[in-house]
Amino acid sequence: MSALVQQPEEAVDAVLARFQRYNMPGLSVGVLSQGKVVLRKGYGLADIAAGRPNAADVPMRIASLSKQFLVSIVLMLEAEGRLAVSDPIQQYLPELPDYGVPVTLLDLMSNQSGVRDFLELRLLSGGNFSDPATAEESYRLICSTAELNFLPGSRFAYSNSGFLLLTRVVEKLEGEALETVLQRRILQPLGMTQTGLARTDSPWIEGRAVPYVVEAGQPTQGQWSVPLDGAGGMLSTVDDLLKWAAWVRDSHGASQPIFQRMAQARPYADGSPSIYGLGFTVMPYRGQPSFGHHGQLPGVFAEIAWFPQADVTLVLIANTTEINPFLLGRQLADVLIPSVLTARLPAADVLPGYYYNEAENRLLQVEKRSGEVMLNSTMTRAPLEWHQPGCCRPFWPMLHYQFSPQPDCLLGSNGPNPACWRRLTPWLPEADASLAGTFYQPELNCEWRISRQQQQWQLELAGPFGVSRFTLLPFADGVMLATPAVNPDGDYRPTLRLTHTARGRRLEIATDRTSRLFADEIHR
């Protein structure tokens, strides 16, 4: 018997009606129940200038939803005896640096490899995502850093690099471009005629939805020029993703163990549970098992979520990052399968402020927005909820934090690792020039410059891809939080730490996906 409500369209409209706007972008949504499509509908505009509405057959970028397609191909190759997921990546790509420990294909697929994220390396080298780029540039960035964020299997850190490397492994073994492999193995057999790999936005694909970034209520077209390959380069439609969802649903049983493996969280090396399977996030919701993935690019936000016990799958693709389909998808679950959901976890009440993990050089911010307690990490804002008595967590599938709030700190864990974030108060050294300096980062061949300009501390990252600028918020002990000078309300906020070594001053930068990057001071 289906867990779905009797009138699913009415339930969905009650949640999404506010996005049925005729001068703004929106989203398309699809619902699968017991293997059958019960809803496919668009809200808002796919193209504002043309007045073209969103619909379930309008192509949009699906960003990191692409990863599940790539991983399924890797597991198909393993089933055919052409690789083993326990193989080290250098077996297929010997030009990669020696990391000192084995990094396996399984580590890459589960985001437990410790390999630094090439997109963040680009940003930390002075680059952006709108200037023309090539996959070779990204590959060279990965090859330039021989240090890992952590030992493989010891924690979770989302890394697009792993999936860029897996793309190369697939193409090397198949002797074909990933576009062709996807068509032959998945898209053509499933009749996904509007799905494919588009590594960049040039040339523009006619008929696709325009991605919009909304700032101060005004939509402008989102720009993306960095090839993502199997890490996030696919376009699709809600209609096509419903075909994929039905295949995964039908194959999730004994007939196809590939999707069983993908949908099970891979344990950490110490045996404790993680939050990510193989190309799928694994995050129960209100007592219901759930797996899937979300994806985000400028002007694009997508989500696919299977609820296997309820036998319901949700697909949402928005052509604006003003809409968060991950959170919206859970709101839809609330109204579509209410009979099988347990009570909602209460919102956490954590003292707002800044909290610093010295061992990882990571600053987190807790703030209240519209009455909701939010956690700001390097690239993510997520609501905090009580997970169990006295212990809270961010409601987000890519952060594996747990906190027990104390008067002066947050005690908890990052994945399997105990952690403490002590409360810090910003320090404003208006007349102190001790922070200023120029530092050289050899792996990225770039300079990081700290200076004081117009009554503010500034950071410049100058490297092969250009110059990017940040405003710095200093704390005691050389700790600083960097906020982009452009779009200061943006989510990308690295943590900096200035220390003293026997050779002089050293600057360290850390983020959600890249850490242990050091630059020594240079004098001219």
Side-chain angles (χ1 to χ4, degrees), residues 74-216:
V74 173
L75 295 179
M76 290 175 191
L77 290 170
E78 184 184 48
E80 296 165 6
R82 299 173 63 186
L83 59 78
V85 296
S86 58
D87 291 338
I89 183 61
Q90 288 91 343
Q91 181 174 324
Y92 303 95
L93 304 174
E95 63 275 16
L96 286 172
D98 180 4
Y99 296 116
V101 292
V103 176
T104 67
L105 305 185
L106 186 61
D107 294 328
L108 300 172
M109 289 190 288
S110 59
N111 282 311
Q112 294 185 30
S113 69
V115 175
R116 293 164 173 163
D117 187 282
F118 74 90
L119 293 178
E120 288 206 349
L121 294 177
R122 184 178 183 86
L123 292 175
L124 297 174
S125 302
N128 56 50
F129 300 143
S130 57
D131 290 338
T134 67
E136 284 303 317
E137 288 177 348
S138 300
Y139 190 57
R140 286 196 297 270
L141 273 176
I142 298 172
C143 292
S144 71
T145 59
E147 292 287 331
L148 296 173
N149 291 329
F150 48 79
L151 290 176
S154 66
R155 66 181 58 181
F156 170 88
Y158 194 73
S159 176
N160 288 288
S161 295
F163 299 89
L164 196 73
L165 298 179
L166 291 168
T167 297
R168 289 188 169 242
V169 171
V170 168
E171 292 182 333
K172 189 170 188 177
L173 291 178
E174 292 279 59
E176 296 175 318
L178 182 61
E179 294 95 320
T180 305
V181 179
L182 282 166
Q183 289 291 338
R184 174 168 51 82
R185 285 187 175 269
I186 297 175
L187 305 181
Q188 288 181 1
L190 295 184
M192 298 175 66
T193 57
Q194 293 180 292
T195 302
L197 184 66
R199 297 181 193 246
T200 68
D201 283 343
S202 181
W204 181 262
I205 297 174
E206 292 299 324
R208 61 170 283 199
V210 177
Y212 292 100
V213 176
V214 180
E215 296 180 3

Side-chain angles (χ1 to χ4, degrees), residues 391-414:
C391 183
C392 63
R393 67 182 181 187
F395 183 57
W396 191 252
M398 297 299 181
L399 296 176
H400 200 189
Y401 296 141
Q402 294 192 76
F403 308 115
S404 177
Q406 306 295 316
D408 60 349
C409 69
L410 300 174
L411 284 177
S413 61
N414 180 1

